[in-house]
Amino acid sequence: MTSTDRRAALRTGAGLLAGAAVTAACAPSGTGAPDSPGTGQPPAAPAADAPAAPGPRRFPGSPEQITHGPRTRARVALTFHGQGDPALARALLDTAERHGARLTVLAVGTWLDDHPEMARRVLDGGHDLGNHTQNHLDIGAMPEAEARAEITACADRLKRLTGSIGTWFRPSRAARASPLVARLAREAGYPHVLSYDVDSLDFTSPGADAVTRTVLAEVRPGSVVSLHCGYPDTVAALSAVLTALDRRGLRAVTTTELLS
């Protein structure tokens, strides 16, 4: 082999090694893990320099199942079921922040598995982040062991991503928690179950104007409003809702701030 041939061979070998390194870096880390359906890897741990997220708090004088905050203060909480296209969730958060508002996002565990970056996006915007069960099934119809697993699996995701199980728990597919689900939530570390007194009905896709009308017709000081991250109508309605609340002197705050 000539020296020219040796140099060509070395260059070829180096190129093959570099290509193999790139392929290994881009390939999934596994074929799928029980913790992460559809992602091939478990949710990322929080960054080493990221502070742990706030955990659940007990609010003395508040019921175990909270439907609204004090009626004597000009504050409301807009709460969002965290599921669906993350681009819509980011648009909601961006809109709220432009208005100086803060939201409460109750995340579904499988959503966090698929989009783990959303946990930090919510927290970095100053919003509350909570638990809306792992799979968003009818938790009130489940046997005790299955219902417990729905709560604790999502809590585990939140803790792995943020260092906390989240500030709130809301049952899936139910406006109120059954006594069993409320007990299981307490045992998982949530002193209160977060319900609501205003249902926007945005999940029926009635159009942005209808969502706005429904919320504004029912909201009053202390209200907790139920909305969803995964619906374009909700994104389109949010700016109008926040503008109208501001005109009424009502400030949209996190649920933690509403009750503090």
Side-chain angles (χ1 to χ4, degrees):
M1 180 182 289
T2 67
S3 59
T4 300
D5 291 338
R6 280 196 297 273
R7 286 195 297 272
L10 288 171
R11 283 196 298 271
T12 300
L16 290 171
L17 288 171
V22 170
T23 301
C26 295
S29 59
T31 57
D35 283 347
S36 54
T39 65
Q41 56 188 0
D49 58 348
R57 287 174 52 187
R58 184 178 299 280
F59 292 90
S62 294
E64 178 182 68
Q65 195 146 194
I66 292 171
T67 57
H68 62 81
R71 300 296 192 187
T72 55
R73 288 184 287 177
R75 300 174 177 177
V76 300
L78 304 182
T79 68
F80 290 78
H81 301 228
Q83 198 174 22
D85 184 351
L88 295 177
R90 284 190 287 268
L92 286 167
L93 296 169
D94 290 345
T95 298
E97 289 157 18
R98 284 196 298 272
H99 283 263
R102 295 294 177 265
L103 312 177
T104 299
V105 177
L106 292 314
V108 175
T110 52
W111 189 61
L112 294 176
D113 287 338
D114 291 338
H115 310 289
E117 74 284 355
M118 289 307 303
R120 185 50 56 184
R121 172 64 187 89
V122 171
L123 294 170
D124 287 349
H127 311 283
D128 271 359
L129 180 65
N131 178 335
H132 194 37
T133 76
Q134 177 63 17
N135 294 290
H136 201 259
L137 303 173
D138 185 359
I139 192 169
M142 291 179 179
E144 181 172 342
E146 291 180 23
R148 176 182 287 106
E150 281 292 308
I151 299 169
T152 58
C154 187
D156 289 344
R157 266 63 172 182
L158 286 163
K159 185 155 190 174
R160 188 177 299 132
L161 289 168
T162 71
S164 159
I165 65 171
T167 48
W168 299 99
F169 167 75
R170 172 173 287 168
S172 49
R173 300 190 182 273
R176 307 286 186 272
S178 67
L180 170 62
V181 171
R183 173 173 64 79
L184 295 174
R186 284 196 310 276
E187 291 173 0
Y190 302 96
H192 304 280
V193 171
L194 181 59
S195 184
Y196 48 87
D197 65 326
V198 177
D199 189 347
S200 69
L201 300 176
D202 59 345
F203 61 91
T204 65
S205 298
D209 290 344
V211 172
T212 302
R213 285 194 303 270
T214 299
V215 172
L216 297 179
E218 299 182 25
V219 72
R220 57 192 177 115
S223 282
V224 176
V225 184
S226 172
L227 297 138
H228 293 74
C229 287
Y231 293 84
D233 291 349
T234 313
V235 178
L238 185 59
S239 185
V241 168
L242 290 170
T243 298
L245 291 175
D246 186 60
R247 287 174 181 159
R248 296 183 188 184
L250 293 174
R251 183 179 169 215
V253 299
T254 66
T255 308
T256 298
E257 188 175 357
L258 182 73
L259 295 165
S260 296

